[in-house]
Amino acid sequence: MYRPSPSSPAPAVIVLHGCGGPIDKNYNWARTVAGWGYVALVPDSLGSRGLGQVCDSAGGFSPDLRVVDIVGAAKYLASQPFVRGDRLALLGLSHGGTAVLDALQKDLSTIGIKGGVAYYPNCRPSAHTGLALPALVLIGDKDDWNSAENCRVLRSLMPKRPALLDIVYYPTAYHGFDDVTMLPGRTYFGHRVEYDRSASHDAAERTRAFLDRLLR
């Protein structure tokens, strides 16, 4: 958990790691979020289940199984005196981003969650058209791990609820475009992962603006 400097109760963000479990970039995101004035919590969905990485066997631990973790994290945050339990949001990366979309199919406003940001998630048109809360999706057009095209299909299936889903596509970006340690890019589990400075900075600005709209 990371806390902002002011001592008064603050809104909070649940940061959801990717298929490799919590790594430095997740904690860096939490520090960034705390710098924006939010409490940030990074729950470990894999270690708590005795699992290592699930990048090469994601089907064995699907993102929707993490919704219970999100609910538990929200309830834990609400029990802390320095957290505004009625002002919570999600920020997920890859496997965690997909978990954000899975979670937001339910109206979690009853436990304080207002919406979430999903970085390069696996958009699933068959499962994600029932958004109950606002979502911001940020994905690279060159992503060969989670398809941007699937996100376009998802968006096309939600014409009656455009306010609930905002998707930003970065033409030159690959998977993991926000991870500065991925420069130069490299291949993981058969997929290209590469930092993109322009996309990363733009996405961070959009993320902060989105969270501010939800939580301030």
Side-chain angles (χ1 to χ4, degrees):
M1 182 185 290
Y2 297 80
R3 294 175 59 181
S5 296
S7 58
S8 59
V13 178
I14 301 168
V15 180
L16 300 163
H17 61 73
C19 63
I23 57 176
D24 285 348
K25 77 171 181 177
N26 307 126
Y27 302 125
N28 289 339
W29 259 117
R31 293 185 190 98
T32 295
V33 167
W36 293 343
Y38 302 109
V39 174
L41 181 68
V42 186
D44 182 356
S45 292
L46 300 185
S48 59
R49 292 179 168 86
L51 299 173
Q53 61 81 18
V54 295
C55 301
D56 56 357
S57 58
F61 182 67
S62 60
D64 64 295
L65 296 176
R66 300 175 67 179
V67 175
V68 66
D69 300 354
I70 290 169
V71 172
K75 290 181 178 179
Y76 171 75
L77 284 167
S79 72
Q80 305 305 305
F82 50 84
V83 173
R84 285 283 308 273
D86 60 338
R87 290 284 186 272
L88 308 177
L90 311 176
L91 194 166
L93 311 172
S94 193
H95 194 281
T98 308
V100 168
L101 295 181
D102 287 328
L104 297 183
Q105 304 303 302
K106 308 176 186 298
D107 185 0
L108 298 180
S109 62
T110 55
I111 56 172
I113 294 175
K114 302 301 183 183
V117 182
Y119 274 70
Y120 34 88
N122 178 20
C123 293
R124 292 187 294 138
S126 62
H128 292 152
T129 58
L131 280 174
L133 295 168
L136 170 63
V137 171
L138 304 155
I139 191 166
D141 271 323
K142 291 189 174 182
D143 195 319
D144 65 357
W145 201 327
N146 289 329
S147 167
E149 184 56 32
N150 286 347
C151 294
R152 288 188 169 90
V153 172
L154 174 62
R155 186 69 188 82
S156 72
L157 295 175
M158 298 184 61
K160 295 182 180 180
R161 286 176 290 177
L164 287 181
L165 179 61
D166 186 13
I167 305 179
V168 180
Y169 306 94
Y170 296 105
T172 64
Y174 292 89
H175 200 78
F177 62 77
D178 61 317
D179 188 352
V180 71
T181 66
M182 294 294 106
L183 186 66
R186 60 203 76 173
T187 299
Y188 278 105
F189 302 98
H191 304 284
R192 184 73 173 177
V193 180
E194 184 173 333
Y195 176 67
D196 186 304
R197 182 178 183 277
S198 176
S200 179
H201 286 196
D202 182 80
E205 290 180 358
R206 292 176 184 272
T207 297
R208 184 174 187 176
F210 181 83
L211 293 176
D212 286 348
R213 287 197 301 272
L214 285 184
L215 302 179
R216 295 300 186 186

